[in-house]
Amino acid sequence: MAGRLLAISDLHIGYPENRAYADALSPGDPGDWLIVAGDVGEVFADVGFVLASLASRFAKVIWTPGNHELWTLPSDQVTLRGADRYEALVKVCRRFGVVTPEDEFPVWDAPGGPVTVAPLFTLYDYSFRADGTTAAGPVAENAGAADPVAAVPAAGDAAVSDDGRSVALAAALRAGITPADEGQLHADPYPSVAAWCRDRVETTGGRLAAVDGPVVLVSHWPLLRGPVGALRHREFAPWCGTTLTAQWHTRHQVLAAVYGHLHIPRTTHHDGVRFEEVSVGYPREWRRRGTVPPPPRVILEG
Ligand SMILES: [Fe+2]
């Protein structure tokens, strides 16, 4: 195979500049695969259109949802919430040949042998605590008032107690952060996002255990807390993953762990495993680094 295994995330196509960028993404080789690690956007039809469009250009597109795809905005014609919304997105992806976390894991035919590419949907459960993280790096996602789709949670939400959510939310609000998922990412039929997360981790962990040989893990939220330490606003950490997946990169023969969400694109190593944050981010973020958004990252050469 001459193509490459490429990865990108956090396209956030609600911004016209980012939509134009996504519409122009094209393979450098007819054999290129593209991983899209979540946060394509919020509007259901637009997300489906862009993924279908990418699938028509790349040899294979592998998608896993981010928090933004799971939001139910009042302005969206598709009013599905929680698991129903996710399942509807999966249906759209399957119609256009996009691989989802619900499908058989595709196998990349690398020169050194087959590599499984595993899209994982694991969510977050507020178990990443703010303490212990460092205060450096770009602005946390949705932490600024300039985000046109950020919303302040209803006052009553802070009083709801489940798994650490109320404590995390109170700390975030005190720090002036409004985690945009609250009030927009619904967990139906689960009682909480944390409960949905636990179910996802159990199911996904079971599927991963059956994978033999080298694998590329793909998730929107980082699988371990290490990368979250780079957030400028550490109070945002509880919305960035779960400690339940902290050992997954050591239990398997992981060639790379691809993620996004933090909008801090970089390569790091944890326990000897390569972690690739492949986010584009909002225009105000990628413009700090260059005049155009970053190209997809090469995860494996063909
Ligand atoms: Fe995200």
Side-chain angles (χ1 to χ4, degrees), residues 124 126 165 168-169 172 179 181-182 221 235-241 261:
Y124 56 88
Y126 309 96
R165 171 183 175 268
L169 187 53
D181 285 358
E182 299 295 329
W221 298 270
E235 292 83 0
F236 185 60
W239 287 266
C240 293
H261 190 60

Side-chain angles (χ1 to χ4, degrees), residues 54-126:
L54 289 170
S56 74
R57 303 198 290 275
F58 286 83
K60 196 178 286 291
V61 170
I62 300 155
W63 166 82
T64 190
N67 47 316
H68 282 243
E69 281 97 330
L70 301 174
W71 287 2
T72 306
L73 297 182
S75 56
D76 197 339
Q77 289 187 337
V78 176
T79 58
L80 294 168
R81 292 160 56 121
D84 284 349
R85 190 175 189 87
Y86 171 60
E87 285 165 18
L89 284 163
V90 168
K91 270 188 196 162
V92 170
C93 284
R94 284 175 169 167
R95 191 183 312 153
F96 294 102
V98 175
V99 179
T100 78
E102 306 313 302
D103 298 314
E104 188 177 335
F105 294 147
V107 177
W108 170 259
D109 188 15
V115 177
T116 301
V117 182
L120 315 171
F121 170 36
T122 50
L123 271 168
Y124 56 88
D125 63 358
Y126 309 96

